[in-house]
């Protein structure tokens, strides 16, 4: 058999062995063959591609050789690593054999020494007992002196010789600690140590030491609490107390450090440690501050004495601060920052105290005192705003004395209290005003010659004073107070208007029996009062407008509207009174008596002159308004009398006489009104010119020409209607039916709109309906 056959057979056998060992190898080989066939079928799909078969074979042979060389290098490095590992395992096995041999020797030696260890434990117990006995014998002199030292230390404490007492106390505590330490044994020893019965015995024997600590602490804190008083007399006890506190703080630090360094040995702390007397020192200072300030006029705090109490607090705090800064601060270490601690204690006490005070049922003046003290006095240069104290206390960090919510509640309570007071004062002022109206004398006259009463002065001064006082607290409170005052003024003016109405009703009910002869004077005084109150109201509203960003600065408009309503009502009553006095003369107008005698108008002018003289006692602009209304009312009543057809002309002579009398009356009224400084024009209308215009209608000679005159009258007075013209034609007494019909038809067709600024005059004049008996509305009168 040839060598090739032999090698092929060997490779095949090796392949079979590998397949048996790794079944995945057969699957991988199948996949590789499939991939190779797929590649070959793609490359040699055509016969001419076979020419490059040799090239592909050479390339694949080179690639196969490269892969084989890499595999061989990997396998070689892997085998070298396995060989090194096997060498390490051989060395480790040899070392383990040596260690096992040495351990066997040690085990044999320990078995030999076990009997000797039992003997050493006996010696150790004897040593511990000996050491404890030696400690007891060596401490016998001290133990005998414990009772006497405790008694002596008690006497020192009672006599406030604090430094000496504390030195004896420290010595007693040192003895106690040394006894316990000696009985316990050295650290790390494995003896039995100190039993609980022995420790209890030692502590009972030194029980007086704990009582001494309590007694010394009591005296110590009493001295610290009275430090402010002692600093002026004898600061030595306070200095001694501070030195003792620092000693105890140092001892606490030492014991804590020892415990940290020996934490693994479970070293117990001495009884009562750490005492933390420095923290207790500042706590006592805080308690002393609270107790000291609570005693400052505390029994008289609630009620009228609140302002005095706050003032006393201020003087007490500043006096104590001066003592702390100039005396006590020199008695303590610098790191105590005693002034800062005192300030903090004061601030915390005041927060609590003022929170309690804010919850009381305070009056307006008391709330003002609290707000002023908190917002202004406390932070001023007279107290915490002093430059030397600003650096010691950060008020923003401590928080305000009263929270923002608490301040708002106090301000709201203040406004409510002031509102109640203002309402009561306004009610009383109105009662006084109503009483003044019944006086049998003329109202007071001011420097401008105008009537007035005390009401507007009282109201204005009260509101302005409340606003000024509230501004001392804050602008927001001032605005709240102004708003409240304006709302109360609105309520007052509503009651004031009702009182004016009732005043007028009473006067008209009994004007014939117990008539108030100064009724008109007080009505005019009421109008002047309203004008004064209007000026005061506008001044308060301007103060609100000065700070539009304030959330309380919504301007109430009700007071001005209420003032306007009250003024209008008073003016209406004034005109009613004028009409009442003119009524007897108006009854004679346009009658036969008036036509013959003609002195009615002169009498009317006398009444008007008297009234206008009184109107001069009213402030502007109501003075001019009353005069204009006086003119308007006179002309309206004159025309009303004409429309009542009291006089119907029966001839041209009567018409001429009527026209002449009306022209004279118009001229006379105009002259009197001008003499009384009354402008003839009201709202684009001249009232007295209307009388002349009506006289011209009556004076037309030819009735046919009436339509032209009436069209001009309608153009000038567009509110005139058919009834007015018909009544005017009836007064003439000579208008034919066809002319009347044409005029009325013209009026019906022409209804011009009222021009801007025109004040209707004919709408106030109702024409009485003519009574036509036995005339049905559905049938035409014949």
């Amino acid at each position: 058999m040839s060598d090739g056959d032999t090698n092929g057979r060997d490779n095949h056998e090796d392949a079979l062995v590998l397949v048996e060992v790794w079944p995945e190898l057969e699957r991988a080989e199948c996949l590789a063959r499939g991939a190779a066939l797929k590649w070959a079928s793609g490359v040699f799909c055509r016969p001419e591609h076979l020419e490059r078969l040799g090239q592909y074979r050479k390339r694949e042979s080179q690639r196969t050789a490269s892969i084989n060389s890499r595999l061989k290098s990997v396998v070689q490095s892997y085998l070298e690593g396995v060989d090194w590992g096997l060498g390490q395992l051989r060395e480790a096995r040899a070392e383990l054999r040596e260690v096992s041999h040495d351990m066997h020797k040690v085990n044999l030696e320990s078995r030999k020494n076990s009997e000797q260890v039992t003997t050493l434990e006996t010696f150790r117990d004897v040593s511990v007992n000996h050491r404890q006995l030696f400690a007891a014998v060596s401490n016998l002199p001290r133990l005998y002196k414990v009772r006497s030292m405790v008694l002596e230390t008690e006497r020192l404490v009672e006599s406030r010789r604090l430094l000496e007492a504390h030195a004896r106390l420290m010595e007693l505590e040192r003895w106690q600690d040394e006894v316990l330490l000696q009985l316990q044994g050295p650290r790390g020893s494995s003896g039995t140590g100190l039993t609980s019965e022995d420790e209890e015995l030692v502590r009972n024997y030194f029980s007086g030491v704990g009582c001494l600590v309590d007694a010394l602490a009591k005296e110590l804190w009493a001295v610290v609490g009275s430090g402010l008083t002692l600093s002026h007399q004898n600061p030595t006890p306070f200095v001694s107390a501070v030195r003792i506190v620092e000693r105890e703080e140092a001892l606490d630090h030492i014991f804590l450090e020892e415990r940290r360094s020996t934490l693994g040995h479970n070293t117990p702390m001495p009884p009562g440690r750490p005492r933390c007397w420095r923290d207790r020192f500042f706590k006592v200072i805080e308690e002393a501050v609270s107790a000291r300030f609570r005693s400052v006029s505390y029994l008289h705090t609630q009620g009228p004495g609140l302002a005095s109490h706050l003032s006393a607090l201020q003087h007490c705090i500043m006096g104590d601060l001066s003592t702390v800064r100039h005396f006590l601060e020199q008695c303590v270490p610098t790191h105590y920052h005693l002034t800062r601690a005192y300030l903090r204690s004061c601030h915390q006490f005041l927060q609590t105290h003022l929170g309690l005070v804010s919850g009381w049922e305070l009056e307006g003046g008391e709330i003002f005192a609290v707000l002023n003290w908190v917002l202004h006095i406390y932070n001023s240069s007279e107290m915490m705003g002093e430059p030397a104290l600003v650096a010691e206390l950060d008020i923003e960090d401590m928080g305000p004395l009263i929270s923002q919510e608490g301040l708002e509640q106090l301000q709201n309570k203040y406004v409510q209290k002031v509102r109640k007071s203002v309402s009561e004062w306004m009610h009383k002022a109105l009662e006084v005003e109503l009483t003044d109206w019944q006086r049998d004398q003329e109202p007071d006259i001011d420097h401008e010659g105008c009537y007035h009463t005390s009401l507007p002065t009282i109201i204005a001064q009260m509101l302005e004073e409340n606003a000024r006082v509230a501004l001392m607290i804050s602008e927001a409170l001032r605005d709240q107070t102004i708003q409240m005052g304006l709302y109360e003024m609105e309520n007052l003016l509503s009651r004031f208007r009702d009182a004016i109405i009732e005043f007028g009703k009473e006067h008209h009910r009994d004007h014939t029996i117990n008539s108030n002869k100064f009724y008109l004077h007080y009505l005019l005084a009421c109008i002047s009062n309203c004008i004064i109150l209007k000026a005061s109201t506008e001044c308060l509203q301007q103060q609100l407008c000065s700070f539009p960003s304030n959330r309380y600065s919504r301007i109430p408009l009700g007071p001005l509207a209420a003032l306007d309503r009250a003024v209008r009502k008073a003016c209406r009553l004034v005109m009613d009174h004028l009409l009442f006095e003119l009524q007897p003369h108006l009854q004679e107008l346009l009658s036969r008596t008036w036509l013959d005698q003609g002195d009615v108008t002169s009498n009317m002018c006398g009444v008007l002159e008297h009234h206008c003289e009184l109107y001069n006692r009213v402030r502007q602009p109501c003075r001019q308004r009353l005069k204009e209304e006086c003119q308007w009312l006179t002309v309206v009543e004159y025309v009303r009398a004409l429309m009542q057809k009291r006089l119907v002309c029966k001839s041209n002579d009567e018409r001429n006489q009527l026209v002449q009398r009306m022209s004279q009356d118009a001229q006379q009224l105009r002259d009197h009104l001008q003499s009384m400084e009354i402008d003839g024009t009201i709202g684009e209308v001249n009232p007295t010119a209307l009388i002349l215009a009506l006289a011209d209608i009556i004076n037309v000679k030819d009735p046919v020409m009436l339509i032209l005159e009436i069209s001009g009258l309608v153009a000038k007075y567009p509110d005139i209607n058919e009834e007015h013209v018909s009544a005017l034609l009836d007064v003439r007494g000579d208008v034919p039916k066809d002319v009347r019909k044409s005029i009325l038809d013209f009026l019906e067709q022409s209804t011009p709109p009222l021009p801007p600024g025109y004040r209707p005059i004919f709408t106030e004049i109702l024409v009485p309906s003519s009574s036509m008996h036995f005339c049905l509305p559905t049938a035409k009168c014949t």
Side-chain angles (χ1 to χ4, degrees):
M1 185 179 294
S2 64
D3 294 337
D5 295 336
T6 304
N7 292 334
R9 187 172 59 251
D10 294 338
N11 292 333
H12 181 67
E13 291 175 355
D14 293 340
L16 291 175
V17 173
L18 288 173
V19 169
E20 291 177 0
V21 176
W22 291 310
E24 293 84 358
L25 184 60
E26 182 179 4
R27 183 168 176 272
E29 184 177 359
C30 291
L31 290 175
R33 288 180 179 277
L37 287 175
K38 184 177 181 181
W39 176 81
S41 62
V43 174
F44 303 107
C45 60
R46 300 179 69 175
E48 57 269 17
H49 293 165
L50 294 175
E51 296 176 357
R52 290 182 291 178
L53 179 61
Q55 297 176 3
Y56 286 117
R57 181 182 296 170
K58 182 179 180 180
R59 187 178 65 183
E60 293 300 322
S61 298
Q62 292 174 352
R63 182 182 298 175
T64 302
S66 174
I67 293 173
N68 289 333
S69 64
R70 287 202 298 270
L71 286 174
K72 287 179 181 180
S73 64
V74 170
V75 170
Q76 182 65 29
S77 63
Y78 173 74
L79 291 175
E80 290 176 357
V82 170
D83 183 59
W84 181 82
L86 290 175
Q88 293 291 324
L89 289 174
R90 293 190 192 96
E91 293 177 2
R93 183 176 61 182
E95 292 176 357
L96 284 174
R97 286 175 181 173
E98 293 178 3
V99 171
S100 176
H101 181 68
D102 293 340
M103 290 297 295
H104 181 67
K105 290 181 179 180
V106 170
N107 188 22
L108 293 176
E109 291 295 330
S110 64
R111 289 178 181 177
K112 292 179 183 180
N113 296 328
S114 61
E115 296 178 359
Q116 299 177 0
V117 171
T118 304
T119 305
L120 288 175
E121 288 179 355
T122 304
F123 281 117
R124 182 176 58 195
D125 295 339
V126 173
S127 175
V128 170
N129 292 331
H130 180 269
R131 185 174 62 254
Q132 291 178 348
L133 291 173
F134 178 77
V137 171
S138 62
N139 284 299
L140 280 177
R142 295 180 178 177
L143 294 176
Y144 285 133
K145 293 175 63 177
V146 167
R147 301 294 183 186
S148 60
M149 282 195 66
V150 168
L151 294 175
E152 183 179 358
T153 307
E154 286 179 353
R155 288 194 296 273
L156 292 174
V157 171
E158 291 173 357
S159 61
R160 281 200 173 178
R161 296 164 63 183
L162 301 180
L163 283 177
E164 298 180 36
H166 186 252
R168 300 296 176 87
L169 178 61
M170 290 175 63
E171 188 174 0
L172 286 171
E173 288 180 331
R174 182 169 54 82
W175 289 357
Q176 178 183 3
D177 295 341
E178 288 179 357
V179 169
L180 289 173
L181 185 62
Q182 291 176 4
L183 291 177
Q184 185 180 9
R187 294 169 185 166
S189 63
S190 58
T192 57
L194 184 65
T195 62
S196 59
E197 291 81 3
D198 295 338
E199 183 177 1
E200 186 67 24
L201 177 63
V202 174
R203 299 205 185 281
N204 288 335
Y205 192 78
F206 285 91
S207 60
V209 176
C211 297
L212 283 177
V213 173
D214 296 337
L216 178 62
K218 182 178 179 180
E219 290 296 325
L220 192 69
W221 305 137
V223 169
V224 172
S226 59
L228 289 170
T229 305
L230 294 174
S231 62
H232 293 285
Q233 303 170 359
N234 181 19
T236 303
F238 185 80
V239 176
S240 300
V242 174
R243 292 179 63 184
I244 293 171
V245 168
E246 285 302 297
R247 286 180 185 176
E248 289 294 329
E249 198 69 20
L251 288 174
D252 286 346
H253 182 72
I254 291 172
F255 286 121
L256 288 173
E257 289 295 326
E258 284 186 358
R259 189 176 187 188
R260 291 193 191 98
S261 61
T262 59
L263 191 58
H265 302 289
N266 196 21
T267 303
M269 287 284 287
R273 297 286 180 181
R275 289 179 181 155
C276 303
W277 276 10
R278 186 185 292 168
D279 295 338
R280 179 59 183 163
F281 173 87
F282 291 106
K283 186 67 176 177
V284 170
I285 290 290
E286 182 178 344
E287 293 173 354
V289 169
S290 299
R292 183 173 177 82
F293 292 155
R294 279 196 297 268
S295 64
V296 179
S297 306
Y298 191 73
L299 296 177
H300 307 287
T301 299
Q302 191 168 3
L306 180 58
S308 301
H309 169 71
L310 295 176
S311 178
L313 274 181
Q314 176 185 353
H315 289 91
C316 183
I317 289 173
M318 297 311 294
D320 290 352
L321 275 175
S322 178
T323 301
V324 171
R325 291 169 55 198
H326 297 99
F327 294 98
L328 293 185
E329 191 74 60
Q330 318 303 323
C331 301
V332 299
T334 55
H335 62 82
Y336 269 46
H337 299 293
L338 191 59
T339 303
R340 184 178 303 173
Y342 184 82
L343 285 171
R344 187 176 295 270
S345 300
C346 290
H347 193 83
Q348 291 174 349
F349 165 76
L350 290 174
Q351 284 177 324
T352 304
H353 182 58
L354 292 175
L356 177 64
V357 170
S358 300
W360 294 342
E361 189 62 33
L362 302 176
E363 296 299 325
E366 298 166 354
I367 298 175
F368 174 83
V370 173
L371 291 173
N372 185 52
W373 200 86
V374 170
L375 296 177
H376 300 292
I377 296 178
Y378 184 73
N379 295 321
S380 68
S381 58
E382 299 177 359
M383 285 194 70
M384 299 307 171
E386 185 179 345
L389 300 178
V390 171
E392 297 290 343
L393 181 63
D394 187 359
I395 296 182
E396 293 183 359
D397 182 49
M398 290 290 295
L401 291 180
I402 300 178
S403 64
Q404 185 63 32
E405 181 181 359
L407 286 176
E408 291 182 358
Q409 291 177 354
L410 273 180
Q411 290 180 358
N412 292 334
K413 288 170 63 176
Y414 175 79
V415 173
Q416 292 302 320
K417 294 294 182 180
V418 174
R419 182 170 198 160
K420 181 180 178 183
S421 176
V422 167
S423 178
E424 292 176 354
W425 275 101
M426 285 185 174
H427 183 72
K428 293 178 181 178
L430 184 58
E431 290 181 349
V432 173
E433 177 75 5
L434 299 182
T435 305
D436 290 344
W437 291 353
Q438 306 301 326
R439 292 190 305 175
D440 194 18
Q441 64 182 33
E442 193 178 18
D444 297 333
I445 300 175
D446 60 12
H447 64 284
E448 296 181 3
C450 299
Y451 288 139
H452 74 97
T453 60
S454 60
L455 178 67
T457 304
I458 294 174
I459 300 303
Q461 289 181 352
M462 179 170 53
L463 296 182
E464 291 173 1
E465 179 67 17
N466 285 327
R468 186 188 62 81
V469 171
L471 183 59
M472 296 172 63
I473 301 300
S474 66
E475 292 174 355
L477 184 61
R478 188 274 310 272
D479 293 345
Q480 281 185 277
T481 306
I482 291 177
Q483 279 193 321
M484 175 275 299
L486 292 177
Y487 286 129
E488 287 300 317
M489 183 184 288
E490 182 179 357
N491 296 333
L492 169 72
L493 292 172
S494 178
R495 297 194 300 269
F496 183 70
R497 181 177 179 274
D498 295 339
I500 291 176
I501 295 173
E502 187 62 29
F503 184 47
K505 290 180 179 179
E506 290 180 0
H507 179 74
H508 285 80
R509 277 198 298 266
D510 55 358
H511 65 273
T512 56
I513 305 174
N514 299 318
S515 176
N516 185 353
K517 61 181 179 180
F518 295 104
Y519 166 75
L520 178 60
H521 303 67
Y522 281 101
L523 283 180
L524 299 177
C526 290
I527 297 173
S528 293
N529 290 343
C530 290
I531 296 173
I532 297 174
L533 288 176
K534 181 180 181 182
S536 176
T537 301
E538 291 174 345
C539 179
L540 293 175
Q541 289 181 343
Q542 286 176 0
Q543 295 183 45
L544 286 180
C545 293
S546 301
F547 301 93
S549 60
N550 195 298
R551 67 189 180 97
Y552 296 108
S553 61
R554 186 173 62 86
I555 301 176
L557 301 178
L560 292 179
L563 278 168
D564 186 63
R565 290 194 296 269
V567 169
R568 288 178 181 275
K569 189 60 185 178
C571 290
R572 183 68 263 169
L573 291 177
V574 169
M575 292 297 105
D576 290 345
H577 187 68
L578 173 62
L579 180 61
F580 174 76
E581 293 194 358
L582 287 176
Q583 199 64 39
H585 308 295
L586 293 174
Q587 294 294 334
E588 299 178 4
L589 273 179
L590 297 165
S591 62
R592 294 291 175 183
T593 305
W594 164 79
L595 192 61
D596 296 335
Q597 298 178 0
D599 57 350
V600 177
T601 306
S602 300
N603 296 333
M604 289 176 55
C605 290
V607 174
L608 294 176
E609 185 175 357
H610 171 67
H611 274 254
C612 288
E613 288 178 356
L614 292 178
Y615 297 163
N616 289 326
R617 298 293 187 183
V618 180
R619 291 175 175 269
Q620 293 288 11
C622 287
R623 178 190 304 169
Q624 187 63 29
R625 178 182 173 185
L626 285 173
K627 290 182 178 181
E628 292 174 355
E629 289 297 319
C630 169
Q631 176 188 12
W632 187 270
L633 178 108
T634 303
V635 173
V636 167
E637 294 302 323
Y638 192 99
V639 176
R640 191 192 310 276
L642 178 63
M643 296 299 165
Q644 290 176 356
K645 298 178 287 187
R646 299 172 187 169
L647 179 63
V648 177
C649 298
K650 298 179 180 178
S651 63
N652 289 329
D653 294 337
E654 286 187 358
R655 279 193 292 274
N656 293 332
Q657 189 179 3
L658 174 61
V659 170
Q660 183 180 4
R661 180 63 65 190
M662 289 178 64
S663 300
Q664 292 175 357
D665 288 349
Q667 186 62 39
Q668 189 175 4
L669 287 173
R670 179 182 298 174
D671 293 341
H672 271 80
L673 292 173
Q674 288 179 353
S675 66
M676 292 180 286
E677 300 178 355
I678 301 178
D679 187 10
T681 303
I682 302 176
E684 304 296 332
V685 175
N686 190 340
T688 55
L690 176 60
I691 300 177
L692 294 175
L694 296 178
D696 290 340
I697 297 296
I698 299 174
N699 194 35
V700 174
K701 303 301 181 181
D702 187 1
V704 179
M705 302 301 293
L706 281 174
I707 191 168
L708 296 177
E709 292 292 334
I710 290 176
S711 63
L713 182 66
V714 171
K716 187 178 294 186
Y717 304 98
D719 60 322
I720 192 170
N721 58 28
E722 296 90 338
E723 295 178 352
H724 298 118
V725 174
S726 179
L728 191 59
L729 297 178
D730 290 340
V731 171
R732 278 184 59 92
D734 65 340
V735 181
K737 292 184 178 180
D738 55 344
V739 175
R740 177 189 294 270
K741 184 176 182 303
S742 62
I743 292 174
L744 296 179
D745 290 342
F746 166 74
L747 291 174
E748 186 177 356
Q749 294 174 3
S750 62
T751 54
L754 300 181
Y758 175 81
R759 179 178 177 181
I761 187 170
F762 282 97
T763 53
E764 301 182 19
I765 303 172
L766 297 178
V767 178
S769 58
S770 58
S771 57
M772 299 180 67
H773 301 288
F774 310 109
C775 188
L776 298 176
T778 56
K780 205 169 185 179
C781 294
T782 58

